[in-house]
Amino acid sequence: MVPWRSSRTQGSSSGSTPGSMGPSSPPSDTSALSSGDDSGSDFEATARPCGKRGRQQGPDQSHVRKCPRMTEPNGGCSSASTVNPEPNTLFEAIKSAKIAMETVVVDWLETYKRDRETGFLELINFIVCSCGCQGVVTPQMFRDLQNSEIIQQLTEQFKEDSSEYPLSLNTRPWRRFRDGFCELLTAVVQRCQYSIIYDEFLMGSLISFLISLTDSQVRAFRHTSTLAGRQHPWVAPLRHPMAGVLAPTSTVVVAMKVMSALVKVALGVSVQQENNLRQYEAERSKGPGRRATEKLEALMVKRRELREQQEEIENMMNAIFKGVFVHRYRDVVPDIRAICMEELGTWMKTYAASFLTDSYLKYIGWTLYDKQGEVRLQCVKALQGLYGHRDTAANMELFTRRFKTRMVSMVLDKELSVAVEVVKLLTLMLENMGEALTDEDCQSVYPIVFVANRPLAAAAGIFLYRRLLDPQQGAGMDASYDRDNRAFFQVLLTFFIEIELHEHAAYLVDSLWDCAGPRLRDWETISALLLEESPAEGLGDQQEKALVEILAASVVQATEGQPPVGREPAKKPSSRERKAQMEERIRLTHCLIPALPKLLGKFSADADKAAPLLEVLCCFDLSIYCTGRLEKYLVLVLEQLEEVVQKHTEQTVLEAASRALHALCDPELALQRHGDRVRSRLADQLADKFNQEVTEMLQALSLDDEEAYSMAATLKRISILFNAHDLTRWQLFDPCTQLLQRAVDTGEVPPQVLVPTITCLYFHILWEVSSLPTTDVPEEQLQSLKTKVITTCSLSHSCLSDVDSGVREQAFRVLSDLLLVLGPQLAEDGREELAPLVLRPDAELQSQLAAFLMDHVFYPTCNQEELLATENSESRIEELHQRRVLLAGFCKLIIYGVLELSAASDVFKHYTKFYSDYGDIIKETLSLTRQIDRQEWARTLLLSLQQLMTELLHQEGPNFRMTEAFPDIRDLARRFSLFFSLHKLRSRPLLVNIHKEGILFAFQKIPGLEPELPPLNLPFLEVLSEFSPWVLGPDKALLLTYLDKVTQEQLGVLAPGDTGQWQSLVTYRNSLQPQDGGGTGASSRGAAPTPHPTKRRRLEAPPQAPDSSPRPSTHPSSPALTSTMLRGDPRPPQLSPRLLLSGSILSSPQQQLHDPAVQSGPPPEGVGRGGARGRAERRRGGRGGQGLPLGRL
């Protein structure tokens, strides 16, 4: 019998064990799976032999110890766990990685054969040492103590402050050690599989010891005996209470790896049994004269021997499974549960005859409901190995019926990595168990092709392709069976139209690209389907529109190789991929050049079809028109393009036509003269028509609807062409100016005419600025351009007050862009002669720009849930996008120094209220403006809070502290304070100034207020307290003194009254108290201010800072609500050219510039150190930040 050693009764394991999550109830639908060999119980009642084992009788030979043990003074072994005086031989060999694993195992086997107790203890101490324990198991302990007593003594050897845990270190040597640790255990079992594992000592004692370790309270023991070393991407360092640093969950379990090695041994024995049976049957089938009786008897003896070995190995595996797995698969550590599921999947795949049963599968089914994503991920991967083969999938019908609903629902798992693997699992089920998934199940997977995560969408695309688009290939047929892809596109169009979830074909094409790319690149079939005229075989209007979109998306995907907007960008293509893209571009150009004029001729009247076809033209290799002698097709395409521009007024199709014409007018193109001719003809026609209509409008008293529509259509075409083409030589600036001036004077011009008119003026200026020579700019040209700029800005400024919101928004966009383009950076980098063109907004313009934000950006809207629930959610999303563009334009004016930094307060004060809509833009603006001027940035944050407080006071009156809006102001202050949390030393003077100016604001005197009442702004101290956690200790003491001084100066002797009126002051004083509870005097321990006529000690200023007395704020007492120019004239920020040219507002925060650290001497002796407060600090032993700059106090 195998000698099991355990301190607990193995059959009484139905209760929870150390580290276990406690008894868990399996899902109610798994009752059928519970009818197995274990009667459905998590903790089987099969008894494992227990009790104390007697002394082992080793072979009759002397003990040869590889590692001498520390002995007692009397020469005997200690009965307690002792510290190993020499490193463990196995541990050092694996750690050094200088000895071949085979040699290490052979040397250990030789030791074990000479003295199995010594060899076994060396292996046990290797495991203990790998746990980070410094103790050893001595022979005396092994003979006299139970496993639980041994582990208890080993537990005492852990050092709580030790971080030298081998399996927790992630450096290269220790990662190599983890791999060798796992390899050694497997190699030991493999080398002993023919004799030693059956000696009734090694495996029995090892398994018993491992089972006891897994029940230990020390998580390191539990981990190492259950886990050991492979790094997973989701691993996070953990800590255990006994060993300082816990091994990452990337550690390979001794028990699980021993079990895996035993599974391989059992599989080998099973194969030998089959071979033995085959040989026996073959020999017995021979005739009596040819039959060898001795061979039959030898085969029978071998058969009985193999059967006994199989039974013994089954007993070992059953002991490990019931003693370790059944308890640890629900361990409190999710990584232990994950490894258990991973190993269980390996056992089922390796030895399906024994493990692929419902009594084992139920553990995977139950754990599919685990709350941790990494555990669910390992369950799904284990199932992939089972469903990936038809022979194993055929044995999982009951499991599939019970847990299919759960697996299908996991396609919406919150962990994207789990969802991806679930979709792959369902694809394997589709291929190997085709009838398991119903149409309803598949309908849950189809919409996943439109999700933003590309790996998940690509996995769903493969599922869709296998199930719906190409079921024959999923059944194993060759992909070349169908040379004509008509059926494929018919099914794809039907799916795209009926799904009704997404209108953009680019996402569907990108999802199918990896599996159906060759079919989607069948340009001949697509063009033939679109050009068919037969009513019987042709496509309907909706199908034609969908196919045109699929064609355009496929062309873009083939030539650019980038996923659509919203999905994460693909990796940078390799040189081979770029070469393949170029070859595909050439191929599709040759295929579609003859068909494109016909397609445009057929669909030119439909804007939804013409726009994607014009996008296809932009992806061509246009040089082939010349090299391939295909000039006639270029002429036909240009004729169709000109017709599209004349027919349509929709912005989408006109923009596509403008881009296509710009590509055909490329100066490097050999046949660009054809494009220039068409562009000139279009510009002549539009300019003549516009001039005529402007002349008639200026002479007429009013415009009728038909005339207004005609002028709006003409201006819309001109403005869109102006975006990509230089039309300044057609002299459109003067008529546009006259038209806009007429609108400002009379207000009779309709809005649909004004918006493109403002756009034309804007593009006219941009094209003239871009055409200026780099040097020696003519003075006349410069003055003419300056006059046009001033005229455009003046008219746009007037349009900010127009009655139509669309006109106001367009005027704001034009003004913000012109102020940015013609900002201070225009005259830098050697272009000082362009200084006359620099625009500097006056006070009125800045005020109107800020007021525009209040009216058009920061106004209440529905939340995200309401937005998705409304029927016109798409229009609301587009509206939100437009508002974000407006806000980004204003923020860029601040970042690039066009507006003063204090103007950002109109943006910062809405950080929390509109966080869901503009949080990313405002946060990036906060980060970038901090780099410009940290002092002014801090004042701007304070100004934002002061503005909100003033607004709330005007709206709610003196009792505003009890309103719901006041906690929102405190929350905004808390978010602002987080910007000071990282660099406390650099932020020290900023925080001190914020507190000082905030205190002055809180104690402002209001004319007419009774002297015994607290100031109206006093609750602002509660807002200010949100910044206190980041103030250093010495500064808190000085701020308390400064607070007392301001209180006396502003209020004098306070009359006794209700303490609740001064609660804000109490809260603020408490926030400045030392965190360790040390007080700064009796008056600073949270008491309300009381009459105190005695003179207080004044704060002395350090000699290095002569201006350390409190300075008055540069801002007025009551900040303005909206206008940024009514707040005084603070010092403008100094912008570096490097920041001005760094890019847009959305540049990476990692590109921020870091100011040099503030450097000053230590505080002078006596500042904040005298009196009771100084003595209290000295008693606490704190030096109060000596040597750190105090800033300007």
Side-chain angles (χ1 to χ4, degrees), residues 643-812:
E643 184 179 351
V644 167
V645 173
Q646 294 173 350
K647 283 182 179 180
H648 297 282
T649 59
E650 292 83 356
Q651 184 171 356
T652 304
V653 66
L654 289 177
E655 289 177 350
S658 178
R659 288 192 293 268
L661 185 59
H662 179 267
L664 294 173
C665 294
D666 187 358
E668 297 181 0
L669 191 63
L671 300 177
Q672 61 94 19
R673 64 182 185 278
H674 296 285
D676 285 341
R677 185 166 55 250
V678 172
R679 179 173 59 187
S680 300
R681 186 162 58 244
L682 279 174
D684 289 338
Q685 295 173 359
L686 294 174
D688 293 343
K689 186 177 181 180
F690 173 63
N691 288 324
Q692 181 181 356
E693 291 173 343
V694 170
T695 302
E696 294 176 355
M697 187 211 68
L698 294 177
Q699 295 175 356
L701 297 178
S702 61
L703 283 177
D704 57 19
D705 294 341
E706 184 177 353
E707 293 174 344
Y709 176 80
S710 177
M711 179 175 288
T714 303
L715 276 170
K716 193 171 185 179
R717 295 187 180 99
I718 293 175
S719 63
I720 292 177
L721 286 176
F722 226 149
N723 189 6
H725 305 271
D726 185 4
L727 304 182
T728 54
R729 60 191 179 97
W730 276 270
Q731 301 296 324
L732 299 174
F733 186 86
D734 291 337
C736 288
T737 304
Q738 297 174 6
L739 183 61
L740 198 56
Q741 188 65 49
R742 171 71 178 271
V744 172
D745 295 339
T746 64
E748 298 177 354
V749 182
Q752 62 267 29
V753 174
L754 287 180
V755 172
T757 302
I758 298 173
T759 306
C760 288
L761 292 176
Y762 167 68
F763 284 127
H764 189 100
I765 291 176
L766 289 187
W767 279 111
E768 286 203 14
V769 171
S770 65
S771 63
L772 290 175
T774 55
T775 57
D776 300 331
V777 182
E779 186 66 24
E780 295 181 357
Q781 184 179 1
L782 200 61
Q783 290 300 325
S784 175
L785 180 56
K786 182 178 179 181
T787 303
K788 293 179 181 179
V789 169
I790 295 175
T791 302
T792 301
C793 290
S794 176
L795 293 174
S796 300
H797 188 184
S798 301
C799 291
L800 284 177
S801 57
D802 194 88
V803 295
D804 184 75
S805 61
V807 176
R808 294 196 300 269
E809 291 178 2
Q810 184 65 14
F812 180 86

Side-chain angles (χ1 to χ4, degrees), residues 322-386:
K322 294 180 180 180
V324 178
F325 179 89
V326 169
H327 299 284
R328 299 281 71 83
Y329 90 96
R330 54 179 188 172
D331 196 278
V332 293
V333 181
D335 311 302
I336 295 180
R337 305 198 300 269
I339 293 297
C340 287
M341 291 299 105
E342 181 183 10
E343 295 300 326
L344 179 58
T346 303
W347 305 336
M348 291 179 176
K349 187 177 179 181
T350 303
Y351 193 16
S354 180
F355 288 94
L356 192 58
T357 61
D358 296 333
S359 58
Y360 292 100
L361 283 170
K362 67 180 181 182
Y363 295 106
I364 294 182
W366 293 344
T367 317
L368 286 174
Y369 295 86
D370 197 280
K371 293 182 179 180
Q372 297 296 326
E374 60 265 28
V375 182
R376 299 194 301 273
L377 180 63
Q378 294 303 325
C379 292
V380 174
K381 288 185 175 180
L383 291 175
Q384 287 177 355
L386 302 178

Side-chain angles (χ1 to χ4, degrees), residues 828-981:
E828 297 177 355
D829 297 335
R831 305 192 66 179
E832 289 77 9
E833 54 185 334
L834 299 181
L837 295 178
V838 174
L839 283 178
R840 293 179 174 84
D842 55 11
E844 181 183 1
L845 178 56
Q846 292 192 42
S847 177
Q848 288 200 12
L849 291 176
F852 179 88
L853 287 182
M854 303 301 110
D855 298 335
H856 293 78
V857 177
F858 296 114
Y859 62 90
T861 57
C862 58
N863 55 32
Q864 197 70 15
E865 291 76 11
E866 295 174 351
L867 182 65
L868 297 176
T870 53
E871 296 181 357
N872 57 344
S873 60
E874 185 175 353
S875 61
R876 289 182 176 270
I877 292 174
E878 180 63 26
E879 180 184 355
L880 175 61
H881 172 70
Q882 295 299 328
R883 296 202 307 269
R884 287 172 58 86
V885 171
L886 297 175
L887 177 60
F890 184 83
C891 292
K892 284 189 285 187
L893 295 179
I894 299 171
I895 293 172
Y896 288 97
V898 179
L899 299 180
E900 296 174 351
L901 193 55
S902 59
S905 62
D906 290 316
V907 177
F908 295 165
K909 66 183 181 182
H910 297 99
Y911 183 41
T912 56
K913 186 176 181 180
F914 294 89
Y915 186 81
S916 60
D917 294 338
Y918 319 118
D920 55 339
I921 298 177
I922 300 178
K923 185 176 181 180
E924 190 70 14
T925 306
L926 281 165
S927 300
L928 294 177
T929 51
R930 180 173 54 177
Q931 305 168 17
I932 301 173
D933 188 336
R934 298 177 68 87
Q935 288 285 352
E936 189 65 24
W937 172 78
R939 294 192 188 98
T940 305
L941 297 185
L942 182 63
L943 179 61
S944 303
L945 299 172
Q946 292 173 348
Q947 286 183 356
L948 290 176
M949 181 68 70
T950 305
E951 292 177 9
L952 189 59
L953 178 61
H954 290 171
Q955 294 173 1
E956 303 294 340
N959 296 325
F960 65 89
R961 183 173 174 271
M962 308 305 296
T963 62
E964 297 179 357
F966 184 72
D968 296 337
I969 301 178
R970 292 195 60 174
D971 182 60
L972 177 61
R974 181 187 60 81
R975 294 207 182 202
F976 284 165
S977 69
L978 296 179
F979 286 91
F980 301 93
S981 61

